[in-house]
Amino acid sequence: MDSIIVRGNGALSGQIPIAGAKNACLTLMPATLLSDEPLTLTNAPRLSDIRTMSELLRSLGAEVASMQDGQVLALSSHRLSGTRAEYDIVRKMRASILVLGPLLAREGHAEVSLPGGCAIGARPVDLHLRALEAMGAEMELKDGYVHAKAPGGLKGGIVEFPFVSVGATENALMAATLARGTTVLKNAAREPEIVDLAQCLRRMGAQIEGEGTSEITIQGVDRLGGATHPVVTDRIELGTYMLAPAICGGEVECLGGRIDLVGAFCEKLDAAGISVEQTNSGLKVSRKNGRVRAVDVTTEPFPGFPTDLQAQMMALLCTAEGTSVLEEKIFENRFMHAPELMRMGASIDVHGGTATVTGVERLKGAPVMATDLRASVSLILAGLAAEGETIVNRVYHLDRGYERVEEKLGNVGAHIERISGQ
Ligand code: EPZ
């Protein structure tokens, strides 16, 4: 298993290109199952999760070709060979559940392994199943698989989500495009990845209104065609790299960054004393003089502060002046980076979903363990400003969501290198 060594850094300067969004690409790719014509995705990120989704789609009979060094994905589901998503692929990546809605809509049945939990929580999929049942699907859980049937095809319905779920919204949105009649999704997720999916489905011929609001209306159509669609910029990679100059000092321009993707996050950076400027090519981030100020953060569905930036923000607040309170409202176990940051000298008190961080002058490098995707990059950010050397182990977590992290940070002056494991 590879490790990454980070040495305490001076100020950073330069540009970091931001890739296409992992969490948009992972829902855009299964959309190919809705049509027998080709779907081409450009600006695709080069990540292990994308390779896993490609493997899953191929196991169903879809063709997936990766071109231009992985930045273009040519998908085609002209003829499917099956509707069973096997456990040994699904367990590697929970987003595999996003083939359920499209398979059901296209073939009228699907057997998808339950994804199981992960480090940050139990991650049930009950909202996905309820939504598809509201469109006439019959669901049965057997041997760890969801057996879904819609013999006469799906029909439009009203789907009321009891609370916001990104994945359930995506599954329902995709399935509804081919359901007979009108479907209304109430309390739908408003994330930019949902908007991106709706725009791609519309290019394929879907009739959708209201994406980006909490009520989305879909008029089912008989079939969908092909399309070419650019994957939206990754707002979580963007926010992650905006924190590098915030933590180390200096000035970095994140190419492709847009304020509208990270509005709530930028409000917190401003309150902490970090300046963010929209330029013609992205977001320029610099730390005003003096220490970062403590701020309180509560994670919420979009447009609130994203849970996927909570760990990274904590790394910044570990050396802020004052005490910050972080509330994690989306996942039940998303503070696993806290004990690792404490090994580096951070002062953090975790009680349930609340972490209280008392800023210290400087962290000290140490060997630390990556536990999940966002926790691992939080440790790298902390290591950038720490005194001495930090070794982050188990960086396979990192490679799921960040392409070429050592190259991108190294190009702006960070002392970072990857050590290949046995
Ligand atoms: C998506 O996960 C993202 N993953 C997550 O990013 C992100 O943290 C999350 O949305 C929230 O923004 C992808 O898009 C591939 P949810 P998802 O359904 O769809 C509970 C990353 O780091 N819930 O919005 O699984 C659930 O347990 C990953 O890139 C149910 O109870 O998230 C959670 O507590 C991590 N039943 C809350 O709702 C359900 O049927 C929100 O989950 C579904 C969800």
Side-chain angles (χ1 to χ4, degrees), residues 354-374:
T354 302
T356 304
V357 181
T358 306
V360 297
E361 279 286 328
R362 196 165 186 209
L363 296 180
K364 290 184 176 46
V368 289
M369 183 74 72
T371 50
D372 63 87
L373 167 57
R374 307 303 175 182

Side-chain angles (χ1 to χ4, degrees), residues 22-23 123-127 165-167 308 330-331 334 374:
K22 166 180 84 80
N23 290 349
R123 311 292 294 276
V125 291
D126 52 319
L127 271 64
S165 161
V166 171
D308 292 350
I330 306 293
F331 290 109
R334 204 168 197 177
R374 307 303 175 182

